[in-house]
């Protein structure tokens, strides 16, 4: 079981790096091809507490919607930071979630049969 925890921790760190990298691409201004300004905006938002750590968010999501994370994006929408996740669930079901990046509140859920698993409710 400890090996699974280590793997999850490593995955969480990698996904955090991917998420912040995606954030840099997702909020890229049209004038900057390299996206450095976006990476800095996302990093500053994380350091200012405007964005929760991706690892924590993924642990929260895993409890209610277990599955394999395929894609993570961090975007600025209507003045708020939003994590967008795509999950592959058992049976090949695709699930898309939009979560408030500050506290993990579920904003939008898309997919077939999107009921939470293991008896956990959605956090609003």
């Amino acid at each position: 079981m400890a090996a699974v925890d280590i793997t999850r921790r490593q995955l969480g760190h990698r996904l955090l790096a991917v998420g912040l990298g995606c954030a840099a691409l997702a909020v890229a201004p049209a004038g900057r091809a390299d996206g450095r300004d976006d990476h800095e905006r996302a990093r500053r938002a994380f350091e200012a507490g405007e964005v929760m750590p991706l690892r924590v968010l993924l642990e929260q999501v895993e409890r209610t919607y277990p599955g394999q994370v395929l894609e993570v994006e961090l975007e600025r929408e209507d003045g708020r930071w939003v994590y967008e996740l795509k999950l592959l669930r058992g049976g090949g079901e695709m699930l898309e979630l939009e979560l408030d990046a500050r506290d993990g509140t579920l904003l939008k859920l898309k997919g077939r049969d999107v009921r939470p698993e293991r008896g956990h409710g959605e956090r609003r």
Side-chain angles (χ1 to χ4, degrees), residues 22-23 26-27 73-77 80-84 98 101:
C22 289
V27 294
E73 292 183 17
L74 178 63
E75 298 183 348
R76 189 84 170 157
E77 295 181 2
R80 116 173 69 181
W81 288 101
V82 175
Y83 276 117
E84 295 179 0
E98 287 188 15

Side-chain angles (χ1 to χ4, degrees), residues 12 16 46 52-63 83 102-104 123:
L16 176 59
F46 175 74
M52 71 187 302
L54 182 58
R55 174 183 41 82
V56 174
L57 180 92
L58 292 174
E59 289 170 358
Q60 177 181 309
V61 168
E62 175 69 22
R63 287 190 296 270
Y83 276 117
R102 179 183 297 274
D103 62 9
R123 184 173 175 205

Side-chain angles (χ1 to χ4, degrees), residues 71-97:
E71 184 178 332
V72 176
E73 292 183 17
L74 178 63
E75 298 183 348
R76 189 84 170 157
E77 295 181 2
D78 299 323
R80 116 173 69 181
W81 288 101
V82 175
Y83 276 117
E84 295 179 0
L85 278 72
K86 287 187 182 176
L87 301 174
L88 182 60
R89 296 180 76 186
E93 176 191 357
M94 180 69 70
L95 188 62
E96 296 178 28
L97 297 96

